[in-house]
Amino acid sequence: MLGTVSERAPLSAGWPDLDVETAYAIQDEALRLRRARGETLVGLKLGLTSRAKQQRMGIDSPLLAWLTDAMVLPAGAPVPHDALIHPRAEPELVFVLGSPLAGPGVTAATALAAVDRVYGGIEVIDSRYADYRFTLPDAVADNGSSAYFSVGPVGLPPASLDLSLEAALLEVDGQIVDTATGAAVQGHPAEALALAANALGARGLALEPGWLVLTGGMTDAVPLRRGSRVAAHFSHLGSITLST
């Protein structure tokens, strides 16, 4: 979600029959417009992969959303608050694909075999909808509340890590506010990757080599307030800090 924006009521408030299939068509059209203005597709993200988050939001399944190069927040760059409404941050495990991955029938094992490197990351989310209240189709149409993301400096082959036990500490202004392991993401982040490949396959699409895949927030997302410092510290994947 880039540019000058303001919050609004969910689409479903005026379009109660909005379904997930139509919402993905809206999302794809938004991507087409982004690419027409010069943005490059660099991968995708999963959202609401934590069961606790699904229950909190009243949603019963994860979602997919597109990532472009305009969403990349370089290390050390400040969060652009003027382009955001009510941003939040969450730590994620990030896959970089080394080979194509296409559903159906992708398992966690075959998904992980397609991964070249694993990184730690922070995603900045920002829903267009007031108070972060939405249905699943609303969230899909809003490209999964995507805004920006930052990838850490340490990339390791997946075989060198136990991803279900890879831990993240989320720090705000020097205080640890939340912790989680990769098991918070669909039980294992490779399960999230398999889900993404199979869901794209059902739409006639595939994951491409070189793409980044943000596998979903490991902890609750914390509000990003001006003047704060938010950091994610991973067991083996280094640290990332955002200045706000």
Side-chain angles (χ1 to χ4, degrees):
M1 191 177 86
L2 307 175
T4 302
V5 291
S6 57
E7 67 181 28
R8 55 156 295 153
L11 292 179
S12 60
W15 188 358
D17 294 332
L18 176 66
D19 58 23
V20 171
E21 182 179 0
T22 303
Y24 275 115
I26 294 169
Q27 189 188 100
D28 290 348
E29 174 63 12
L31 175 65
R32 186 191 68 78
L33 294 172
R34 288 173 182 271
R35 298 176 84 171
R37 68 181 184 230
E39 297 182 31
T40 299
L41 179 63
V42 297
L44 81 163
K45 58 163 274 187
L46 290 102
L48 301 168
T49 50
S50 156
R51 185 60 185 157
K53 281 190 176 181
Q54 290 172 17
Q55 291 173 340
R56 190 173 304 112
M57 302 305 297
I59 286 170
D60 60 6
S61 64
L63 58 83
L64 304 183
W66 299 115
L67 300 175
T68 75
D69 59 340
M71 300 176 185
V72 177
L73 193 63
V79 175
H81 274 273
D82 290 343
L84 301 170
I85 302 168
H86 36 206
R88 301 179 182 182
E90 55 191 20
E92 309 225 359
L93 293 171
V94 182
F95 291 145
V96 177
L97 295 185
S99 57
L101 190 60
V106 175
T107 65
T110 55
L112 204 57
V115 175
D116 180 51
R117 287 288 186 274
V118 184
Y119 292 82
I122 295 180
E123 185 185 9
V124 177
I125 60 173
D126 190 30
S127 175
R128 282 185 173 84
Y129 307 126
D131 301 321
Y132 273 86
R133 294 185 180 277
F134 45 72
T135 66
L136 179 59
D138 288 319
V140 170
D142 191 29
N143 200 48
S145 304
S146 301
Y148 295 94
F149 66 93
S150 185
V151 177
V154 179
L156 297 175
S160 70
L161 298 165
D162 185 336
L163 288 171
S164 64
L165 295 179
E166 181 69 17
L169 304 178
L170 185 60
E171 175 192 325
V172 179
D173 295 332
Q175 299 294 317
I176 300 298
V177 297
D178 209 346
T179 65
T181 67
V185 180
Q186 294 291 115
H188 191 290
E191 295 285 358
L193 181 60
L195 184 154
N198 290 324
L200 282 183
R203 293 159 58 192
L205 304 171
L207 292 155
E208 302 293 340
W211 275 14
L212 292 88
V213 179
L214 276 61
T215 56
M218 299 170 70
T219 70
D220 275 342
V222 296
L224 282 176
R225 299 184 175 89
R226 291 180 187 269
S228 291
R229 186 179 66 86
V230 175
H233 308 287
F234 294 86
S235 300
H236 302 94
L237 298 171
S239 297
I240 309 146
T241 300
L242 297 182
S243 60
T244 62

